[in-house]
Amino acid sequence: WFSDPFNSNYQKLLKNNDPSFKEWKIYVIGDDELDALVNALEKNTTLKELVFHGTRIRTAGASKIANQLWSNPGHPPKNTTLTVLSINNNSIEGTYGLARMLEYNNTLKELYIGGNDISDDIKEGYYGAQAIANALKENKNSALTILHIGNNKIGDKGAIAFADMLKVNKTLTELYISGTLYDDHDKISDDGVFAFANMLKVNKTLKILSIDDKISEAGAVTLAEALETNNALVYLNISNTSNTISKEI
């Protein structure tokens, strides 16, 4: 048994008999509590939205949660009910567990992983923003519509990977992406912006694109030109730059 407020919600998750228990917001959680939650999550069929508010679950915690949201092809599915996962501001660096989940999961609709320490670094496909993008590129059955990966440590390599993914992905409608807001390193510059511009010439499903980063006038102009042939995007946000643009199209 755990102390409240965690225990009361944990019991609902574990007993799996309360159809009104659809959302759980967690502000403080210990290691034992997280392990218990993860184990109960596998078989739960009521919870739709799980939010960790700056709980510092780190890479290991995020991987444990992600592991309950996918299974190998041909094996019985684990949790297929959760549609929203928010793990913003949780000191997450490695993305192997999240990427592996995104490659196979076909029920999660919204993922919020902003304000972490996710960089471009792919490390043989298991790490960083590129691994997230590659997983979504591979998963033809993904249900993900919203991805918030802003205020991380993403630079041009990560941006280019996401742009390439969006040339073939047909489900994502909202993408929020940026490097860190507090450092001059790990920024999306013109190379990344040009890749997004080329993507917008072929993508037909993205409705919102927010690039909160260091963008030049040339980059802003290139994006504007790409919009001349794109009829899907309805909102483009470019800020944290000398060319601040926030425009509803």
Side-chain angles (χ1 to χ4, degrees):
W1 293 88
F2 302 101
S3 59
D4 283 328
F6 177 85
N7 188 62
S8 59
N9 284 325
Y10 168 66
Q11 292 301 323
K12 293 177 184 178
L13 186 75
L14 183 64
K15 293 177 181 178
N16 194 27
N17 60 3
D18 185 351
S20 68
F21 182 56
K22 297 180 179 180
E23 180 183 11
W24 190 0
K25 294 182 179 180
I26 300 172
Y27 298 89
V28 179
I29 190 168
D31 291 341
D32 290 342
E33 292 171 326
L34 179 62
D35 288 342
L37 183 157
V38 166
N39 289 333
L41 184 64
E42 179 178 352
K43 301 299 183 182
N44 182 270
T45 58
T46 64
L47 193 68
K48 302 287 187 181
E49 181 174 344
L50 182 58
V51 180
F52 292 84
H53 281 287
T55 52
R56 298 178 68 83
I57 61 173
R58 302 182 184 276
T59 301
S63 295
K64 289 178 180 178
I65 296 165
N67 190 52
Q68 301 295 39
L69 303 180
W70 76 281
S71 58
N72 284 314
H75 289 72
K78 296 182 181 179
N79 184 293
T80 59
T81 307
L82 198 73
T83 57
V84 179
L85 175 61
S86 178
I87 45 177
N88 290 329
N89 304 307
N90 271 282
S91 302
I92 298 166
E93 294 183 8
T95 61
Y96 172 68
L98 289 169
R100 185 173 56 173
M101 177 270 291
L102 289 171
E103 186 173 352
Y104 295 103
N105 180 282
N106 60 6
T107 53
L108 193 69
K109 295 180 180 180
E110 301 178 20
L111 177 61
Y112 302 87
I113 48 176
N116 286 296
D117 297 310
I118 299 170
S119 66
D120 288 341
D121 192 358
I122 195 166
K123 288 189 177 177
E124 299 180 354
Y126 300 136
Y127 197 97
Q130 294 176 82
I132 296 287
N134 289 345
L136 289 172
K137 185 177 182 179
E138 291 297 322
N139 187 353
K140 307 304 181 186
N141 297 312
S142 173
L144 200 71
T145 59
I146 299 175
L147 175 61
H148 195 307
I149 195 170
N151 194 17
N152 276 285
K153 297 180 178 179
I154 300 172
D156 286 329
K157 290 181 179 179
I160 291 169
F162 273 99
D164 287 344
M165 176 271 292
L166 285 167
K167 288 180 178 178
V168 297
N169 179 279
K170 299 185 185 305
T171 61
L172 206 63
T173 59
E174 299 181 24
L175 175 64
Y176 306 84
I177 185 171
S178 72
T180 176
L181 301 181
Y182 308 108
D183 196 331
D184 287 336
H185 302 290
D186 305 311
K187 294 288 188 181
I188 299 172
S189 62
D190 282 349
D191 286 346
V193 173
F194 293 159
F196 277 120
N198 287 330
M199 173 274 297
L200 288 173
K201 295 176 181 178
V202 297
N203 181 282
K204 306 298 182 184
T205 52
L206 194 67
K207 297 183 181 299
I208 296 176
L209 175 61
S210 179
I211 311 172
D212 196 10
D213 233 316
K214 201 172 186 179
I215 297 172
S216 69
E217 182 177 354
V221 169
T222 302
L223 283 171
E225 291 174 347
L227 292 176
E228 294 178 3
T229 58
N230 182 295
N231 296 319
L233 203 72
V234 296
Y235 188 80
L236 171 65
N237 179 61
I238 305 172
S239 56
N240 192 31
T241 174
S242 58
N243 297 280
T244 300
I245 301 173
S246 183
K247 181 180 181 182
E248 189 166 352
I249 302 166

